[in-house]
Amino acid sequence: EVVLTQSPGTLALSPGDSATLSCRASQPITNNLLAWYQHKPGQAPRLLIYGASSRALGIPDRFSGSGSGTDFTLTIRSLDPDDFAVYYCQQCDASSLITFGQGTKVEF
Amino acid sequence: LQLDESGPRLVRPSETLSVTCTVSGASIGSMSSYWGWIRQAPGRGLEWIGSIYYSGTTYYNPSVNSRVTISADMSRNQFYLRLTSVTAADTAIYYCAGDQFRNAWYKSWGQGTLVTVSS
């Protein structure tokens, strides 16, 4: 099983700041099959980034993903008040098994 | 694409948890469509339970593999989660989700349904 470790656990920032969220895998992720989600209480998770760096439809360009192998990053440029949420990375391995990271909370 | 979860909100320990996902806006049997179940226990993160592909192929999280079955009914455009021998640790919000192109992530999600395991 591929274990994803996200850091930091919590990020305390203000609107207008930039956020850098890290996701490290216990083994290389093949074909960059890594995604990022935003999750707010009482709502469904929202796909932000897929394939490590491609933005999902309708996602603002202040969200960007990068990385390969075992180290991946989600960057949020100029935080909007609507961006305060929990962010999860997620991978799919060669056996088609999916795992999520434990999440990073971006709070004001 | 819309997904809606339904099922009992309360299940007794040792019994079977069953949740239905009704999909509208796409056929669950259409080529290259992929569907899954994910849960979130109170105060915890997201946990993938398993997936079912348009072909009927299934994959399960090893942590629940012995207790879980995911199935689908193409005629109803629904897919199902069945989890046996539940305990309080199975109390969670259960989400169904899907993607019409890849098996590796989920673009569309239901709103989730809270299932509580308690006597």
Side-chain angles (χ1 to χ4, degrees), chain A residues 34-81:
Chain A
L34 184 116
W36 290 92
Y37 299 86
Q38 178 190 69
H39 193 200
K40 298 179 183 179
Q43 297 186 19
R46 178 190 181 196
L47 178 67
L48 300 174
I49 301 289
Y50 63 91
S53 61
S54 298
R55 261 189 309 276
L57 194 64
I59 301 303
D61 62 5
R62 64 178 181 274
F63 291 91
S64 63
S66 63
S68 63
T70 60
D71 290 296
F72 298 86
T73 300
L74 174 70
T75 301
I76 312 171
R77 178 176 44 84
S78 188
L79 279 164
D80 183 276

Side-chain angles (χ1 to χ4, degrees), chain A residues 33 37 39 44 51 88 90 96 98, chain B residues 40 48 53 95 104-106 110:
Chain A
L33 294 182
Y37 299 86
H39 193 200
Y88 294 93
Q90 173 249 298
S96 301
I98 287 174
Chain B
Q40 183 179 35
W48 175 73
Y53 292 1
Y95 296 97
W105 38 73
Y106 298 111

